[in-house]
Amino acid sequence: MKMEDKAFKKNILITGGAGFIGSHVVRLFVKKYPQYHIFNLDDLTYAGNLENIKDIEKASNYDFIKADINDADQIKELFQIHQFDSVIHLAAESHVDRSISNPKIFVETNVTGTINLMEAALETWRGNLENKLFYHISTDEVYGSLGETGLFTETTAYDPNSPYSASKAASDHFVRAYGETYNLPYVISNCSNNYGPNQFPEKLIPLFINNIIANKALPVYGDGRYTRDWLYVIDHARAIDLAFHKGKNKSTYNIGGFNEWQNIDLIKLLCEIMDKKLNRSAGESEALITFIKDRPGHDKRYAIDASKINKELGWEPSVTFEEGLMKTVEWYLQNQNWIRAVVSGSYQEYYKKQYL
Ligand code: NAD
Ligand code: TYD
């Protein structure tokens, strides 16, 4: 601990802050709000990496706690010690393909872990819920799959298809139920696919950037005609900042960039950018595209209607997809040490099992 706790206006617990989105949220809050004491709790699974937040680790309003949200006793003890006023909960198992081969850990971390945090919060906040908030970060995948038209709104019925999305849907339901039953103050946001610096190379964009650099096959599931709605991670962090401060108690916000791409079109654009950046001849990266067996239960199309957060909170994305993708490619090219470190060890085993 670096400062007297009393000196801070709020003690905020951010879970999963060593992961992809969490690291950007932690950085934004630590830098923008010196009056808040930010506690980043993360168990440093394969997806957690302290390198992601190295630049702020010595900030006087920041502390890191290594802990597992599945350990209910330790979570309660940490709430008692640090008296967190608010929680921004991002810690999760986050990859659909891993949920297909090992669903149980998704139930443990995403459902039970979320309940453990809410139990600890309620116990600590009992009798005084004023200015308290449990902010649960979720995904658009809980809504299932869209047809050719239409968008997910906050009132779309939940219809999850993968163990990952089922576990996130269950956690959303529990948060809502804790709000109704125990009056837990909460906000939930459901965001579309994120991309940007520090994303683990199991997800489409960083996996393909890394494979293009290494001249390895680009494994496209099925016919590649699946649609995702992409948002730059910094814009998600900005939306979280707004919903945390201005979101209405017990409400849900959908977050997305109105930016739909079929996988194959996005991959071709990425190949074009990479050819230019790597001084390769046109078409060289595209030649690496390999169509492989489809993902079971593969959702056809996701697309978010983000008009509620736009109208109520004034949020809109700050970068276009082309700008965001360019920044992302440049980050990966400039941070080859980061990527070399994360693809060593257990990643190789995962890659072999998933693709070879
Ligand atoms: P990530 O996999 O990059 O990071 C998850 C983090 O949680 C890691 O740092 C990991 O160490 C930590 N963690 C995992 N299990 C833990 C446990 N038991 N205890 C403590 N820490 C644990 O994930 P991400 O892509 O940054 O996603 C963050 C959140 O945002 C997740 O809840 C995810 O469902 C949600 N989300 C992600 C996306 C996306 O496109 N990536 C989109 C919408 C919503
Ligand atoms: P992904 O990044 O895993 O996110 P999500 O499944 O949560 O949307 O995948 C994005 C899209 O890219 C999805 O339609 C699956 C597809 N995809 C591939 O075609 N090949 C791959 O190797 C990966 C990881 C994803």
Side-chain angles (χ1 to χ4, degrees):
M1 197 135 327
K2 290 149 192 164
M3 240 168 102
E4 269 290 307
D5 263 352
K6 284 189 292 256
F8 292 107
K9 265 182 144 167
K10 265 184 202 294
N11 292 332
I12 302 179
L13 172 67
I14 301 183
T15 69
F20 167 48
I21 302 170
S23 63
H24 291 279
V25 175
V26 164
R27 178 175 299 101
L28 188 153
F29 273 71
V30 165
K31 288 195 164 172
K32 189 168 169 187
Y33 302 108
Q35 70 274 34
Y36 296 164
H37 193 164
I38 305 298
F39 294 87
N40 173 11
L41 184 154
D42 197 296
D43 201 31
L44 301 179
T45 68
Y46 78 91
N49 185 349
L50 289 176
E51 283 298 314
N52 292 347
I53 27 155
K54 192 133 193 71
D55 55 320
I56 49 105
E57 72 183 1
K58 294 200 168 64
S60 58
N61 62 337
Y62 173 77
D63 276 292
F64 177 72
I65 301 169
K66 183 178 179 327
D68 183 349
I69 59 170
N70 293 308
D71 184 342
D73 292 340
Q74 195 189 358
I75 295 298
K76 279 197 177 161
E77 201 182 312
L78 288 165
F79 267 80
Q80 290 302 331
I81 297 170
H82 299 295
Q83 294 292 313
F84 307 124
D85 305 290
S86 326
V87 180
I88 306 178
H89 176 37
L90 297 110
E93 289 292 334
S94 69
H95 190 41
V96 173
D97 292 328
R98 288 186 195 252
S99 82
I100 293 168
S101 44
N102 186 15
K104 222 170 148 197
I105 192 176
F106 285 70
V107 181
E108 286 158 14
T109 293
N110 297 0
V111 186
T112 311
T114 301
I115 292 173
N116 290 340
L117 287 163
M118 292 191 293
E119 285 289 320
L122 278 176
E123 191 179 285
T124 311
W125 299 344
R126 189 148 292 149
N128 180 16
L129 293 171
E130 212 180 318
N131 295 322
K132 305 291 193 288
L133 179 66
F134 190 90
Y135 182 177
H136 180 60
I137 306 300
S138 193
T139 167
D140 62 354
E141 305 193 24
V142 298
Y143 299 120
S145 187
L146 288 165
E148 298 284 308
T149 57
L151 300 171
F152 297 134
T153 72
E154 286 79 0
T155 55
T156 302
Y158 277 30
D159 190 19
N161 292 313
S162 74
Y164 164 65
S165 54
S167 70
K168 292 298 289 187
S171 67
D172 292 9
H173 289 318
F174 270 103
V175 174
R176 234 173 276 237
Y178 270 61
E180 292 305 312
T181 310
Y182 309 112
N183 210 21
L184 179 77
Y186 77 83
V187 165
I188 300 174
S189 56
N190 296 81
C191 189
S192 61
N193 284 62
N194 283 215
Y195 69 98
N198 306 92
Q199 189 171 29
F200 193 81
E202 63 189 353
K203 308 276 172 32
L204 180 74
I205 291 180
L207 175 74
F208 278 35
I209 292 175
N210 190 38
N211 281 15
I212 292 171
I213 295 169
N215 257 313
K216 275 167 66 176
L218 304 177
V220 179
Y221 294 149
D223 61 3
R225 301 247 157 247
Y226 291 86
T227 301
R228 296 292 182 267
D229 181 354
W230 294 92
L231 183 70
Y232 193 53
V233 64
I234 306 271
D235 282 326
H236 187 188
R238 289 173 52 249
I240 291 172
D241 179 15
L242 266 179
F244 175 79
H245 287 98
K246 304 214 166 95
K248 232 173 87 201
N249 185 22
K250 298 188 181 172
S251 58
T252 292
Y253 295 92
N254 277 357
I255 306 170
F258 291 104
N259 179 43
E260 289 182 50
W261 285 79
Q262 281 200 353
N263 291 342
I264 195 67
D265 298 331
L266 185 162
I267 291 161
K268 285 182 179 164
L269 172 65
L270 183 63
C271 287
E272 226 180 278
I273 295 175
M274 292 299 288
D275 280 343
K276 285 194 191 123
K277 288 280 172 194
L278 295 169
N279 290 322
R280 292 183 182 168
S281 48
E284 223 176 303
S285 300
E286 214 178 293
L288 297 169
I289 290 176
T290 312
F291 292 93
I292 64 166
K293 190 164 167 272
D294 211 346
R295 171 190 278 176
H298 200 166
D299 286 330
K300 187 76 186 156
R301 177 171 165 257
Y302 302 146
I304 279 275
D305 178 349
S307 50
K308 179 180 173 190
I309 192 167
N310 174 262
K311 283 196 194 104
E312 260 189 38
L313 309 182
W315 175 86
E316 59 184 10
S318 66
V319 294
T320 64
F321 187 57
E322 286 70 12
E323 284 164 355
L325 198 55
M326 189 60 85
K327 280 175 195 259
T328 304
V329 164
E330 281 164 1
W331 187 86
Y332 280 94
L333 289 171
Q334 283 157 14
N335 289 274
Q336 286 289 292
N337 286 341
W338 181 94
I339 200 145
R340 267 194 290 273
V342 301
V343 301
S344 66
S346 66
Y347 181 82
Q348 296 301 328
E349 284 310 305
Y350 166 76
Y351 198 89
K352 243 191 258 161
K353 241 171 96 188
Q354 185 65 28
Y355 296 107
L356 306 178

